[in-house]
Amino acid sequence: MAEDGGARRPSIATIFNPRRGRGSAPSRPSVVVTDEDSPGPPLQLSNGSGLRVGSAGLSGSSTTPVGSPSINLGSPGPPADVEGSVTESPRDTPPSKCCRFRKAVFSKTTRKIVVGWVVTCCVTTSWVGATHLIKDMFLRTASVPTTLTTPLANTTTSSPPYTEAVQREVFDAPFFTTWFCTAWTGLFFPLYLACHSCLRRDKASLRLTLKTIAHNFRDRGVTFSKFMTRCCLFCLLWVVTNYMYVYSLRILDCTDVMALYSAHVSFVYLLSWVILHDQFVGVRIVAVIMCNTGIALLAYMDGITRTKTLGGVVLAAASAAGSAVYKVLFKKVIGEASFGQVSLIFTVIALLNTILLSPLVAAFYFSGYETVLWSHLPWPNLLVAAALSLAANLLGNFGIAFTFEIFITLGLVLAVPVSAALDIKWYGVKFEGMKLAGVVLIMCGFFLVLFPANWPEYITKVLRWGRHRKRNQPRQQPEPVDYRTGLISRSHLRSPSGLIR
């Protein structure tokens, strides 16, 4: 019995804990207990055996019998993930052309550029649409029945009154138009809150945003009285600027007014240089001169005796100057403001305009200074023009969150050629002589203002890049070598055989 037990012990030891010889290499476990229902890796015991235990085995149920097919005697095959560990990692392999192309197309800069062109088209469309709809309202007439009386011949008495249809202007109220369109800017803050609620959907975050806006004003030392005083100042500048713009549409064509208003970019640079102490750029001074020259040409495009055209140009140029004063003063007084603060200021401006200027609108109407035929008023034109004006202001102030600022500015200058095409098609306007030269000069000045401050460096880089390409052109193929002498076969000093010529 002792010998049998001793004889069996080595056999059991060789199965579960095999002995190793002195020169033998370490071997893999000879028994692997697996469970077909368990997806996990084998459980490693202290003796090095690979044992995979399923959930039933862990819960204390009966284990797999020794003679079942799930016990594999001998060395198990290599695991499935051995090949994956041998292969190179994706970081070591260079990216393919498709991956590089995909990264370039779907990068953040590319998305901003695409969105920028969309914003440019939207700004151009809204600006042109609002201007042409307001101009169309000023041109509309309607036949209105009017009671007339004419004196009899050779008598001082008049004939009995009679009714006759007379063509009258339907709409001639630039101040009412300005007041109505400004009232729509009151939707700035509600739209901001609506977008904030849709994106976050949390009342606590909305309250936190409102508290942050209030704390930002309080940290800058802006009290409620200072805030309302500044909003009143901005409301006055806003209304005066837009009133001059709308009033000039009664006199000039839409393209002339929009081109004159585009000159406000040069005025913004001058005021920023003087008030905000921005960097001096010589090419922008040239742009200011070109814009002023274009304004002078448009002022005298119909001759010196046409004072009506001169007055319209002065009003449009004053509107551009007022817009520049508004923007620079807003930057000086408010500073770097968040989107919530900007939307709150615009809403307060609209409320002040609606409340304080309503008596002035009524006074202009009842005094006969402005004409509004309510029965023939083109409400669709007025409502759509106000909505497009609101859209243009929204894109101009909040578009920077989605794209670069230059695309928003380009929307204003691209509106000029689009408006010119519509004027030619609808109203038969001819652009020639001083009128064409003035519009072209203002547009050229607009593009010069957009030049960056370090524009000479970009030109230098382009020139150096061209020279670098010339220097790095592929050289000519080397001359064939004479392997007998090791010298170049076309040498001018030696022959192909190596002898001196």
Side-chain angles (χ1 to χ4, degrees):
M1 293 293 293
E3 293 177 358
D4 295 337
R8 290 177 183 177
R9 285 176 185 174
S11 62
I12 297 176
T14 55
I15 294 174
F16 291 98
N17 193 8
R19 298 178 181 178
R20 299 176 184 175
R22 294 182 179 179
S24 61
S27 61
R28 296 182 180 179
S30 57
V31 177
V32 178
V33 182
T34 60
D35 191 353
E36 296 177 357
D37 297 335
S38 176
L43 181 62
Q44 299 292 335
L45 301 180
S46 59
N47 58 359
S49 62
L51 177 64
R52 178 174 296 177
V53 184
S55 59
L58 291 176
S59 61
S61 60
S62 60
T63 58
T64 308
V66 178
S68 64
S70 60
I71 300 179
N72 299 328
L73 300 177
S75 300
D81 57 346
V82 172
E83 297 180 359
S85 62
V86 177
T87 57
E88 297 181 355
S89 61
R91 295 182 180 178
D92 299 336
T93 59
S96 61
K97 293 184 179 180
C98 295
C99 294
R100 285 181 291 179
F101 178 75
R102 190 181 305 167
K103 288 182 180 180
V105 170
F106 296 102
S107 62
K108 186 177 180 180
T109 305
T110 307
R111 289 197 302 268
K112 276 195 170 186
I113 293 174
V114 174
V115 174
W117 284 113
V118 174
V119 170
T120 300
C121 296
C122 293
V123 170
T124 302
T125 304
S126 57
W127 197 254
V128 172
T131 304
H132 277 267
L133 287 174
I134 294 174
K135 179 68 174 180
D136 182 67
M137 288 193 298
F138 290 142
L139 296 177
R140 287 196 177 188
T141 58
S143 57
V144 180
T146 306
T147 303
L148 301 175
T149 57
T150 56
L152 296 174
N154 301 327
T155 59
T156 57
T157 60
S158 59
S159 62
Y162 63 96
T163 302
E164 184 180 353
V166 179
Q167 293 289 331
R168 291 186 56 186
E169 292 181 348
V170 173
F171 187 83
D172 188 11
F175 190 81
F176 171 75
T177 305
T178 305
W179 175 84
F180 186 79
C181 293
T182 305
W184 277 60
T185 57
L187 298 174
F188 262 73
F189 198 61
L191 289 175
Y192 172 77
L193 295 180
C195 294
H196 187 278
S197 301
C198 292
L199 293 176
R200 297 193 179 183
R201 298 180 180 179
D202 188 7
K203 293 183 179 180
S205 63
L206 182 60
R207 294 176 184 174
L208 181 61
T209 303
L210 296 177
K211 289 182 180 180
T212 304
I213 293 173
H215 284 308
N216 288 338
F217 283 118
R218 190 182 304 171
D219 294 340
R220 296 180 182 179
V222 180
T223 60
F224 181 76
S225 59
K226 288 184 179 179
F227 178 76
M228 296 304 297
T229 303
R230 293 174 181 179
C231 287
C232 288
L233 175 61
F234 291 138
C235 179
L236 179 63
L237 286 173
W238 180 278
V239 172
V240 171
T241 298
N242 286 275
Y243 174 72
M244 289 187 293
Y245 182 86
V246 175
Y247 196 92
S248 61
L249 287 174
R250 299 173 64 252
I251 306 171
L252 303 175
D253 298 324
C254 295
T255 305
D256 300 339
V257 176
M258 297 180 73
L260 290 167
Y261 185 79
S262 300
H264 82 280
V265 181
S266 61
F267 300 148
V268 168
Y269 167 69
L270 282 179
L271 294 176
S272 300
W273 178 40
V274 175
I275 299 176
L276 302 179
H277 306 289
D278 284 355
Q279 182 181 357
F280 174 79
V281 183
V283 69
R284 294 180 183 175
I285 298 299
V286 177
V288 172
I289 296 173
M290 294 179 69
C291 289
N292 292 334
T293 307
I295 293 172
L297 291 176
L298 290 176
Y300 297 103
M301 60 183 174
D302 292 334
I304 302 176
T305 58
R306 296 288 301 276
T307 56
K308 190 176 180 180
T309 301
L310 179 61
V313 173
V314 170
L315 282 174
S319 174
S323 177
V325 172
Y326 174 85
K327 291 182 178 181
V328 175
L329 194 60
F330 191 92
K331 184 73 173 179
K332 180 71 174 178
V333 175
I334 304 299
E336 295 294 337
S338 62
F339 293 134
Q341 293 175 336
V342 172
S343 58
L344 179 61
I345 291 172
F346 272 96
T347 301
V348 174
I349 289 174
L351 293 177
L352 292 175
N353 164 79
T354 306
I355 297 172
L356 300 180
L357 299 181
S358 298
L360 194 58
V361 173
F364 284 168
Y365 172 71
F366 289 110
S367 63
Y369 181 75
E370 293 186 350
T371 303
V372 179
L373 295 180
W374 299 104
S375 58
H376 298 84
L377 181 64
W379 283 106
N381 284 26
L382 186 61
L383 293 174
V384 174
L388 291 176
S389 177
L390 174 64
N393 290 320
L394 284 172
L395 292 173
N397 289 277
F398 298 151
I400 190 64
F402 310 102
T403 182
F404 303 104
E405 188 177 1
I406 188 173
F407 290 102
I408 303 173
T409 313
L410 282 176
L412 297 176
V413 70
L414 292 180
V416 177
V418 175
S419 177
L422 295 179
D423 279 341
I424 294 173
K425 183 178 180 180
W426 290 348
Y427 307 112
V429 179
K430 295 182 179 180
F431 292 91
E432 56 187 6
M434 298 177 67
K435 186 173 185 176
L436 179 61
V439 173
V440 171
L441 280 176
I442 292 176
M443 291 185 64
C444 292
F446 190 99
F447 281 111
L448 285 179
V449 172
L450 297 181
F451 269 40
N454 56 343
W455 63 274
E457 297 180 4
Y458 290 99
I459 297 178
T460 305
K461 288 181 179 179
V462 172
L463 295 177
R464 289 178 179 176
W465 180 73
R467 294 177 182 176
H468 184 70
R469 287 193 62 187
K470 289 182 179 179
R471 290 177 182 176
N472 294 340
Q473 284 181 354
R475 298 180 178 179
Q476 297 180 357
Q477 294 295 330
E479 302 294 339
V481 180
D482 189 355
Y483 293 101
R484 296 175 298 172
T485 59
L487 301 175
I488 300 175
S489 60
R490 294 185 182 179
S491 175
H492 297 285
L493 299 178
R494 295 180 180 273
S495 63
S497 60
L499 300 177
I500 299 176
R501 292 179 176 177

